Amino acid sequence: WTLEINSMSLAIFLASVFVAKYANVRSVPEPQEIEYVDDAVEVYKFVLTGGPCGGKTTALARLSNYLRERGFNVFTVPEAATLLFSNGCSPSCFSIPGWGPCFQTNLLLLQRQLEDSFAKIAAMSGQKAVILCDRGLMDGKGYMETEEWNKMLLSLNMNEVDIRDNRYNSIFHLVTAASGAESFYTKENNATRTESIPEARDLDAMTQRSWLGHPSHYIFGNEGDFESKLRSLISTVSERVGLPLAERSTVKFLMDDDKDWGKVCKENGVEYQRFMIEKVYLWEGENGGKSSGRVSPLTPSGSPSSGNGIPKPPPLEGGLSPINTPVKGSRMKSGIVSEYSFVRKREGGQSTAYGQTTVQTTSTGQIIEVKRIITSREYFNAVRSRDPLRHVVRQVRVSFIWRGMSCCVHRYERPVEG
């Protein structure tokens, strides 16, 4: 299930809300309520929040995949502030008198409408669902003076208890890397991130305080490595939605038969989910493109060459870029010595999800997987610049729970040229 926001519709909405003066916020009409939500359907609404560079983007991608494999419809609500800043709103405008309160007010209204729309659609799906919100309504409190915040809520006929305690099942706060994992703090993976390490720490603390009082407020720090941070988050989410706890070891087996595991599950009365996966490895840049374990080149004729006989892919759009290995510059300073990337299409039922994974190796040998959700447009654009020396990986995954254990069978198709 996806909800796409047409760029023209978004532009019209933003134009309509920003033409209003702050003093006339009361006149913003409320959308008409439509009574069609089925209260019997389980819909969990979670907020992922935290300071800059806390791992929210990767956590959203990991949680989405994890929950879909276990039978949930998953909806991800984008961060409203990023939508605004990426579509014409400039931080420099905060110096204009009255612009700050106007921005924060319409930011809250936009976030609320996005969440409410996803919630109604999720309830109408007729299946158990999880809504993952990239930040929530209370996050704005950390960016405003208390008096301004209270004045804004009063003008909108809102109160903190309703928008904090009664709106979300749980709040998951991912502490910024600037607190405890300073060597991994970066501004490179988010064009709207401008905070220094001290500023990131302050924002993280303010965000924690903004959500203080929610009955299910979890904070995930940087005491261990990033992978353990994600495992702890997944374990907590599993508990909240009634799944077996995920904080346990993983055991893998190489199977020598080719059973139809969907059929096996059905015959034994076990609920399962089947997914079709396509993984496309991206171009690794100008460093030669030779690494162990690669398949023979699949060089298309007539492709432009990078000078070493390997076709040079076209540049990517939408923020995706080919990954170089080994890395240089600022990433090397952060302890990352090599990395590679692939994009993934995941089809199940009537929904398709897309993601990008970057696998990084640190100077200490730690493997870090950074995941983010991407659009179908980004995915198909990235496929145009795939690594011609690697096969496209296609597999069928069957996920099920057996005797309290979360199981997943991967059946690989024959390598294809894409």
Side-chain angles (χ1 to χ4, degrees):
W1 292 79
T2 59
L3 176 63
E4 295 185 1
I5 302 175
N6 180 277
S7 59
M8 180 62 70
S9 300
L10 177 62
I12 293 173
F13 175 80
L14 296 180
S16 65
V17 295
F18 271 90
V19 294
K21 296 291 185 181
Y22 177 63
N24 294 328
V25 165
R26 293 174 185 267
S27 65
V28 177
E30 291 291 330
Q32 182 179 358
E33 291 293 326
I34 304 174
E35 298 296 334
Y36 52 65
V37 176
D38 183 1
D39 292 332
V41 177
E42 286 183 305
V43 178
Y44 301 91
K45 187 189 292 186
F46 300 136
V47 172
L48 268 71
T49 185
C53 196
K56 284 194 300 98
T57 302
T58 299
L60 280 168
R62 182 81 69 88
L63 274 176
S64 297
N65 290 336
Y66 178 83
L67 292 168
R68 285 191 182 104
E69 287 181 346
R70 285 148 184 84
F72 288 89
N73 277 341
V74 180
F75 301 82
T76 54
V77 182
E79 182 182 6
T82 298
L83 286 177
L84 295 177
F85 285 127
S86 300
N87 288 277
C89 297
S90 172
S92 62
C93 292
F94 278 97
S95 60
I96 300 174
W99 196 90
C102 177
F103 176 85
Q104 293 293 347
T105 299
N106 288 286
L107 170 64
L108 187 146
L109 290 173
L110 176 58
Q111 185 76 35
R112 183 181 68 172
Q113 183 58 55
L114 286 170
E115 292 177 8
D116 290 348
S117 295
F118 275 97
K120 291 176 180 178
I121 292 170
M124 281 298 294
S125 71
Q127 301 178 40
K128 57 183 180 180
V130 172
I131 300 172
L132 300 174
C133 303
D134 190 347
R135 299 196 180 277
L137 299 189
M138 289 297 297
D139 278 80
K141 184 179 181 181
Y143 295 82
M144 300 180 69
E145 296 294 332
T146 301
E147 184 178 349
E148 279 189 338
W149 170 258
N150 291 334
K151 181 180 178 181
M152 180 184 71
L153 292 186
L154 181 63
S155 71
L156 298 174
N157 195 28
M158 297 182 182
N159 66 77
E160 281 196 357
V161 173
D162 282 337
I163 66 173
R164 184 194 65 208
D165 300 354
N166 299 332
R167 189 173 180 85
Y168 309 100
N169 297 91
S170 296
I171 312 300
F172 305 120
H173 182 105
L174 302 177
V175 175
T176 174
S179 295
E182 290 82 355
S183 62
F184 294 98
Y185 183 81
T186 179
K187 303 176 186 177
E188 290 184 350
N189 57 355
N190 189 327
T192 63
R193 184 179 299 148
T194 60
E195 299 85 358
S196 64
I197 286 181
E199 290 171 338
R201 290 170 179 160
D202 290 339
L203 283 175
D204 192 278
M206 286 190 293
T207 304
Q208 289 188 34
R209 290 195 295 270
S210 295
W211 290 100
L212 184 64
H214 192 281
S216 182
H217 183 201
Y218 299 90
I219 299 175
F220 301 90
N222 300 307
E223 295 79 12
D225 59 23
F226 184 63
E227 184 61 28
S228 65
K229 184 178 184 179
L230 289 183
R231 286 199 303 267
S232 181
L233 170 65
I234 291 173
S235 180
T236 303
V237 173
S238 296
E239 183 179 19
R240 296 295 298 166
V241 299
L243 290 173
L245 295 184
E247 191 66 58
R248 59 188 70 188
S249 60
T250 299
V251 180
K252 296 183 179 181
F253 301 92
L254 180 62
M255 304 172 69
D256 59 3
D257 58 9
D258 192 25
K259 287 188 176 73
D260 182 344
W261 280 89
K263 183 178 179 181
V264 171
C265 290
K266 189 174 182 179
E267 290 175 347
N268 288 274
V270 176
E271 185 176 352
Y272 70 95
Q273 296 288 321
R274 186 193 299 270
F275 300 93
M276 301 295 296
I277 308 295
E278 179 179 83
K279 291 167 62 174
V280 180
Y281 288 84
L282 301 186
W283 183 260
E284 293 187 354
E286 304 291 342
N287 293 312
K290 296 181 179 180
S291 65
S292 61
R294 285 188 167 188
V295 300
S296 58
L298 304 172
T299 305
S301 60
S303 298
S305 173
S306 61
N308 54 7
I310 301 173
K312 185 175 183 178
L316 301 179
E317 302 172 0
L320 291 172
S321 61
I323 301 299
N324 295 331
T325 179
V327 298
K328 300 178 181 180
S330 59
R331 284 194 181 94
M332 179 66 77
K333 294 178 182 178
S334 298
I336 306 299
V337 296
S338 67
E339 60 184 22
Y340 66 89
S341 183
F342 61 85
V343 289
R344 180 186 62 256
K345 178 171 69 172
R346 175 197 193 90
E347 297 175 303
Q350 298 180 347
S351 64
T352 302
Y354 303 88
Q356 181 191 22
T357 298
T358 300
V359 182
Q360 302 173 328
T361 304
T362 69
S363 55
T364 61
Q366 180 186 353
I367 304 298
I368 300 173
E369 288 192 359
V370 180
K371 298 188 178 186
R372 75 182 186 95
I373 300 168
I374 61 176
T375 64
S376 59
R377 179 180 178 182
E378 288 177 307
Y379 174 82
F380 289 109
N381 182 58
V383 169
R384 291 172 44 233
S385 297
R386 73 178 186 87
D387 187 337
L389 299 185
R390 296 181 186 264
H391 285 305
V392 174
V393 177
R394 289 181 180 152
Q395 60 181 211
V396 178
R397 294 184 186 176
V398 176
S399 301
F400 57 94
I401 295 175
W402 176 251
R403 295 180 178 176
M405 296 181 291
S406 179
C407 306
C408 187
V409 178
H410 298 214
R411 182 170 65 85
Y412 287 84
E413 305 289 338
R414 294 181 59 187
V416 294
E417 296 187 4

